[in-house]
Amino acid sequence: MANPSHPASESAGSPPGPLVAAFWQALGTSSPTERLAVHPSDEMLAFLVDQHRGDRDQALAHYLRSGHAIADAYLQIIRWHFGTGYSEDVGASVDSLLDFASGFGRVTRFLVESIPAERVWVSDLYDEGVAFQRKTLGVQGFPSTVDPKEFHCEERFDVILATSLFSHLRADRFQGWLDRLASLLTERGLLIFSVHDASLLPPDQKLPPEGIAFRPISESSSHDGDDYGSAWVSEAFVRQAVGQTTPLGEGHRLVRLPRGLCNFQDLYVAARGPRGPLSSPGDSTFEGDPHFFLESCDVLPGGRLRLTGWAAAATSALTAGDSRSPPKNSSASGGASLEVWLGGEVWGSCAVDLDRPEAAAFTGTWRCGWALEGSLPEGFRPTDPLVIRLLTADHRRSHIVHIATVLASSLGCCEERLRWLQEELHRRESRWAAERDAADRRHGAEVAAASEETRQLSARLAAMEASRFWKLRNAWFTFKRRFGLAGGGR
C-alpha cells in the first residue's frame, strides 16, 4: 500500500468532484460534510488513488461506494438478528455497536446514518484514526493493540464488526482476537467478521492441513508483516476456532455468508447462545454486492451510446440453522433491472434478462445479460460521470455497481478485451506448443522405430553374409562368372 502520508485525501469542506457528486445523486441522498471528510493518513484511500493512477475523484468515489456497500451488508444482518423490518429504525434496537479495526471511518460514516452516533464506538491501532472519527462523526472511541492480550475495554456491545481484520491474522492471533472480541458482547450480542476463504488462494498455493495459510505480506506499509499479513482459511478452520471461543457459549450460532463482503470476502455471523440469530418478521434473505460486469461502453456514430454486460444479485439465506448447516449461496437476476445515470441525470434503464451462458459460472444463472443503447444527451462530454445501479424486482433495494467517467469506462472495457485476447492468445499458444511437442514426439518415435528396423535388417544381412551358406553362394557365382556360365539363362 502507499505511504500513509500520501496526499490523497479530501479535506472537510472541499467541494466534491463530479464522480463523488454523481455517487450521492444516484444514491438518492445528500452528502453532508462529515461523510466527505477523509483523513490525510487514510491508507485505504491512498491505495485507491494509486490503483486509479492518481485520479482522486475516482478513488474517493470507489472508497465511498465500498464503504456504503459494507455498511449496507452489516445493517441487513443487524435488522435480521434483532427482528427489525427493512423500513423500521434499526437504531432503536441497538444500544451499542463497536466498529473494530475501523481505520479512518470508511464504513463508520455510513453506519451513523442508521444508528445514533452516540451509540457507536470505534477502535483502531491508529490513534489519529480514532480521534478523527470522534471529531468528525461524533462517535465514541478508544485505541486498539496489536496483541489481543494487551487490549482492555470495560464496555459491552450488542454488535461488534471486524471488517478485513481476520483476513490478515496468523492462527494464534485469529483465535486470540475471536476470544477477546466475543468477551465484549452483551448477552444478546452479535459478532460479524470477514475472512479470505481458501478458494481465494493463488492457484499455485495450497492450504495447509490445519486450514489456514498465512503470508507476512499485505497492502499496508505501516504494520509489521508478522502482525498484519495475509491469511486464507477454510470454513472448517473458522468453525473450529469459533467453537473454541468460550465467551460465545456452547449454544452459540454461526452462519457463513459466502462472498458476503463486497462479493469477495466471506462474512461470518456469530451470536452468543442460546439466543443466536433467529428467524424474524423482517428480511430473511441477505443480499450482498451484486455480480456485475461492464463488457462494452461504445460511443457510436450518430451520437449514440451502447452498453452491454451481465449482472445478477448475490443472495444467501439468513436462517437459524445450526453451525453444521451453513446456508447455501445463490445468485439470480430474478427480475432485476439496471438504471443508468449519465452526467447526473437518468439516461435509461433495461431489464437483466438476456441469456449469457458463459457468465453462468460467475452468476449462477444464464439469464444475466443486459444491453442498452440510446442517443447521447446534448452537451455530452466523454468525461461525464457514468453511474449504473442494479435494482431488485420490487425496487425495494438498489446497489450502485459502477461509477466512472464514460471515457474511463470505455478504456476499461478496451483494456479488459485486450487482457482477454492476450489470455486467449496465451491459451492457444500453449495448446499449439503442446500439440507441436506431441507431434515431434510422434515423429521422433517413428524415426526411432525406422532406425531400429534398419539396424535390425543390417544386422541380419551382416549375419547372413558371415554365414557358411552365403560364402558358398558367393563362391558358386564367382565360378560361374569365371567360366562364362552366368546370364543367358544357362
Side-chain angles (χ1 to χ4, degrees):
M1 181 177 281
N3 190 292
S5 62
H6 194 300
S9 68
E10 298 285 339
S11 61
S14 299
L19 286 176
V20 172
F23 167 77
W24 292 120
Q25 196 168 19
L27 202 59
T29 184
S30 60
S31 54
T33 303
E34 63 268 17
R35 283 191 287 174
L36 289 178
V38 182
H39 195 279
S41 297
D42 193 321
E43 282 191 321
M44 178 57 69
L45 182 60
F47 171 72
L48 291 173
V49 169
D50 287 344
Q51 191 178 56
H52 289 288
R53 303 168 187 173
D55 188 334
R56 292 188 182 186
D57 189 32
Q58 177 70 79
L60 185 55
H62 186 157
Y63 178 95
L64 294 171
R65 194 204 80 82
S66 61
H68 179 267
I70 294 169
D72 178 73
Y74 288 148
L75 290 169
Q76 284 186 67
I77 297 169
I78 292 170
R79 286 190 176 97
W80 160 63
H81 178 69
F82 291 102
T84 305
Y86 181 79
S87 60
E88 298 177 57
D89 180 13
V90 67
S93 301
V94 177
D95 293 331
S96 56
L97 178 146
L98 171 61
D99 188 1
F100 189 74
S102 62
F104 289 85
R106 177 171 60 125
V107 177
T108 317
R109 69 190 65 222
F110 294 102
L111 293 173
V112 296
E113 293 180 3
S114 299
I115 300 173
E118 61 270 18
R119 300 184 190 177
V120 176
W121 296 70
V122 297
S123 183
D124 198 89
L125 287 173
Y126 294 121
D127 292 348
E128 56 185 344
V130 174
F132 173 74
Q133 293 179 80
R134 293 180 65 176
K135 178 181 178 180
T136 307
L137 303 175
V139 298
Q140 304 184 67
F142 48 87
S144 182
T145 60
V146 172
D147 190 338
K149 296 177 182 178
E150 299 174 358
F151 180 75
H152 301 287
C153 175
E154 300 300 325
E155 300 292 330
R156 294 296 180 267
F157 305 95
D158 289 339
V159 179
I160 298 178
L161 312 174
T163 306
S164 196
L165 168 66
F166 290 90
S167 53
H168 295 283
L169 301 178
R170 62 179 192 259
D172 61 325
R173 289 282 169 79
F174 192 107
Q175 186 68 62
W177 277 115
L178 266 182
D179 294 342
R180 190 68 189 94
L181 294 178
S183 71
L184 302 180
L185 291 173
T186 63
E187 288 300 318
R188 62 179 193 148
L190 192 68
L191 172 62
I192 310 173
F193 61 97
S194 67
V195 301
H196 289 143
D197 185 69
S199 61
L200 300 178
L201 263 173
D204 60 338
Q205 298 182 29
K206 292 184 178 181
L207 195 70
E210 56 268 28
I212 181 171
F214 179 80
R215 306 286 182 269
I217 54 172
S218 75
E219 71 278 9
S220 176
S221 62
S222 56
H223 293 305
D224 182 85
D226 195 47
D227 294 322
Y228 191 86
S230 296
W232 298 264
V233 296
S234 67
E235 182 177 353
F237 173 87
V238 177
R239 293 190 176 278
Q240 181 178 15
V242 172
Q244 294 173 352
T245 303
T246 304
L248 286 176
E250 294 184 0
H252 75 272
R253 296 299 179 94
L254 180 67
V255 172
R256 176 194 177 205
L257 300 173
R259 303 181 74 94
L261 190 75
C262 296
N263 210 342
F264 185 64
Q265 293 192 37
D266 284 5
L267 279 178
Y268 281 87
V269 185
R272 300 186 66 171
R275 291 192 57 188
L278 302 174
S279 300
S280 71
D283 293 346
S284 59
T285 299
F286 172 81
E287 189 172 303
D289 230 20
H291 304 281
F292 178 81
F293 182 66
L294 180 62
E295 185 176 41
S296 65
C297 175
D298 301 323
V299 177
L300 307 173
R304 296 181 67 79
L305 177 67
R306 177 172 174 78
L307 307 170
T308 64
W310 45 261
T315 61
S316 295
L318 288 171
T319 67
D322 63 32
S323 61
R324 295 166 296 177
S325 303
K328 294 183 178 180
N329 189 51
S330 63
S331 303
S333 54
S337 61
L338 292 178
E339 182 180 80
V340 178
W341 292 60
L342 187 58
E345 302 289 341
V346 176
W347 174 71
S349 61
C350 64
V352 181
D353 59 358
L354 303 179
D355 282 346
R356 292 296 300 269
E358 74 279 15
F362 300 97
T363 66
T365 175
W366 282 33
R367 299 187 68 80
C368 59
W370 60 273
L372 181 62
E373 181 178 333
S375 298
L376 290 166
E378 291 186 15
F380 164 77
R381 296 173 301 176
T383 54
D384 284 346
L386 173 67
V387 181
I388 303 177
R389 289 200 310 164
L390 184 140
L391 291 80
T392 56
D394 56 9
H395 285 204
R396 191 184 64 171
R397 298 185 58 80
S398 67
H399 302 265
I400 294 179
V401 292
H402 178 83
I403 179 167
T405 65
V406 174
L407 178 60
S409 301
S410 182
L411 289 175
C413 291
C414 290
E415 289 176 350
E416 190 64 34
R417 290 176 196 166
L418 178 60
R419 259 194 308 272
W420 184 88
L421 289 172
Q422 290 172 333
E423 291 173 358
E424 181 64 19
L425 178 60
H426 177 71
R427 284 192 293 269
R428 293 191 180 190
E429 286 179 338
S430 298
R431 186 170 66 249
W432 292 337
E435 292 175 353
R436 184 175 61 250
D437 290 345
D440 289 345
R441 287 194 296 271
R442 288 195 301 271
H443 178 69
E446 292 171 356
V447 170
S451 298
E452 176 62 18
E453 186 177 358
T454 301
R455 186 193 67 77
Q456 292 178 2
L457 288 173
S458 298
R460 288 176 60 189
L461 180 61
M464 290 177 63
E465 290 177 344
S467 67
R468 183 169 178 273
F469 169 80
W470 196 264
K471 290 178 179 179
L472 290 173
R473 173 186 175 282
N474 288 342
W476 169 247
F477 280 110
T478 300
F479 173 80
K480 289 180 66 177
R481 282 193 297 272
R482 180 176 297 176
F483 291 96
L485 298 178
R490 294 173 294 172

